[in-house]
Amino acid sequence: MELIFLGTSSAVPSKYRNHSAIALKAFGEIILFDCGEGTQRQMVQLKLSPMKVNNIFITHLHGDHILGIPGIIQSMGFRGRKEKLNIYGPPGIAMVIDSIMNLGYFTLNFNIEVHEIDGGILIDEKEYAIECAKTEHSIPNFSYSIIEKKKPRFLRKKALELGIEPGPDFGKLHAGTSVEVNGKIIKPENVLGEPRKGIKIVYSGDTRPCDALIDLARDADILIHESTFQADSPDKAEETCHSTAQDAANVALQARAKKLILTHISTRYKKSKILEKSAKEIFKNSMVAEDLMVVKVK
């Protein structure tokens, strides 16, 4: 599982930071969170194929989080995509996508299904689930939680004692299907250990610190939190409905997250280490994201 930071700037891009976009490479696909201008070019640099993107999750409808969508959709069309593309976002995302479909001249041979969200579980697959919560910004913003579903450990020794031969039956039992051995039904619970906690990753989008985000990020392995401002600009952060590095650190601390990654950095900060230092004063395991940074999640 890899977290790939395609864009880490706030509002406008800079020489070193592109508009907001994060890719999660996991479960045999690429899941995209926000899609700022220039996202697909960042993907090209890291050899990430947009054809493997089946789901795009938009936090809110400010331009620095959505203006890459038209380009990535048209590139998918040029490459002959046939598979459906799902786009999730706050109310109004359907109108945005409808406008995109009437932008210029192009042909698509795949369907785009738009989902206007209002909180709760959005995807519940065999390997993972994605949940969202409405958080506090100047316009509707949704934060996202990605939770890996980890199978219980397969008790090989116990299976052998029950007369099960290594092979397909091992896989069936581990996948949750009962098997018959010498006329006896062996159930998965007979050969599986205790449930195991999967990885949990939370992305804030743009937000003020709030209880909804703390609840969503509870016990997260990684909390990706916007940090538009340094600690010396709390009034500016509150005025624009953003967060400081210290705000993000306090959210991580209250949520009992294991790691904090700061993103959405204002162009006023040429040296982002000052943000990291501020966060670490409150939450030690903090770091600042850089464009094209890849974090392997274990």
Side-chain angles (χ1 to χ4, degrees):
M1 188 182 294
E2 292 181 344
L3 266 175
I4 303 162
F5 291 83
L6 300 170
T8 60
S9 182
S10 70
V12 296
S14 70
K15 181 178 179 181
Y16 303 104
R17 294 184 184 276
N18 202 61
H19 273 158
S20 293
I22 298 171
L24 175 63
K25 192 176 179 181
F27 318 116
E29 60 180 302
I30 296 171
I31 304 171
L32 195 59
F33 294 90
D34 283 333
C35 189
E37 180 185 351
T39 292
Q40 64 172 325
R41 190 170 186 279
Q42 299 288 81
M43 293 178 71
V44 168
Q45 293 195 61
L46 290 175
K47 298 180 180 179
L48 298 176
S49 172
M51 303 298 273
K52 290 187 177 180
V53 176
N54 297 322
N55 297 291
I56 299 175
F57 295 87
I58 300 299
T59 57
H60 64 292
L61 301 183
H62 278 150
D64 56 323
H65 294 255
I66 63 171
L67 291 178
I69 298 175
I72 204 167
I73 285 176
Q74 292 192 26
S75 289
M76 288 174 175
F78 290 145
R79 295 186 180 192
R81 183 184 180 101
K82 302 294 184 185
E83 295 79 13
K84 180 182 71 173
L85 175 67
N86 291 293
I87 300 178
Y88 298 79
I93 187 67
M95 183 177 66
V96 169
I97 302 305
D98 185 60
S99 297
I100 287 171
M101 300 308 291
N102 292 288
L103 183 63
Y105 295 89
F106 61 96
T107 301
L108 296 183
N109 291 311
F110 64 94
N111 292 325
I112 298 176
E113 190 168 329
V114 182
H115 309 261
E116 294 199 336
I117 62 178
D118 191 32
I121 296 173
L122 305 176
I123 289 182
D124 194 2
E125 297 287 349
K126 187 175 181 180
E127 294 182 282
Y128 69 96
I130 295 181
E131 184 178 357
C132 71
K134 190 174 183 180
T135 47
E136 296 179 11
H137 191 38
S138 56
I139 62 173
N141 177 84
F142 285 85
S143 301
Y144 293 99
S145 171
I146 309 96
I147 302 172
E148 176 194 29
K149 295 180 181 179
K150 204 163 188 178
K151 294 178 182 177
R153 197 175 303 281
F154 184 75
L155 305 177
R156 179 185 173 89
K157 184 177 179 181
K158 185 72 178 290
L160 293 171
E161 289 173 355
L162 291 172
I164 305 167
E165 296 292 331
D169 285 346
F170 274 26
K172 290 178 182 178
L173 286 163
H174 201 191
T177 303
S178 299
V179 300
E180 183 176 346
V181 178
N182 299 323
K184 183 180 179 182
I185 300 297
I186 308 296
K187 296 181 179 180
E189 54 263 35
N190 299 140
V191 293
L192 297 180
E194 294 296 318
R196 293 190 291 169
K197 180 179 177 291
I199 290 166
K200 180 178 179 180
I201 299 168
V202 174
Y203 171 45
S204 73
D206 288 6
T207 183
R208 293 288 297 148
C210 60
D211 290 341
L213 180 55
I214 292 169
D215 290 341
L216 186 71
R218 188 78 63 196
D219 299 319
D221 293 277
I222 295 178
L223 169 60
I224 304 164
H225 200 295
E226 73 121 296
S227 177
T228 309
F229 297 102
Q230 163 57 352
D232 61 3
S233 302
D235 293 342
K236 187 67 174 175
E238 186 170 356
E239 177 189 338
T240 58
C241 292
H242 283 293
S243 295
T244 67
Q246 287 188 331
D247 288 333
N250 277 315
V251 170
L253 188 67
Q254 292 176 70
R256 300 191 300 271
K258 293 183 177 65
K259 185 181 185 70
L260 171 65
I261 302 179
L262 305 175
T263 189
H264 202 263
I265 312 300
S266 170
T267 54
R268 70 179 64 190
Y269 303 111
K270 308 302 181 193
K271 296 180 180 179
S272 56
K273 287 298 179 183
I274 189 173
L275 298 167
E276 186 174 296
K277 183 179 179 182
S278 292
K280 282 186 171 182
E281 290 174 358
I282 296 169
F283 189 82
K284 187 175 180 180
N285 195 13
S286 300
M287 66 182 295
V288 175
E290 303 293 342
D291 274 26
L292 308 182
M293 182 176 87
V294 178
V295 176
K296 294 187 181 297
V297 187
K298 298 181 180 179

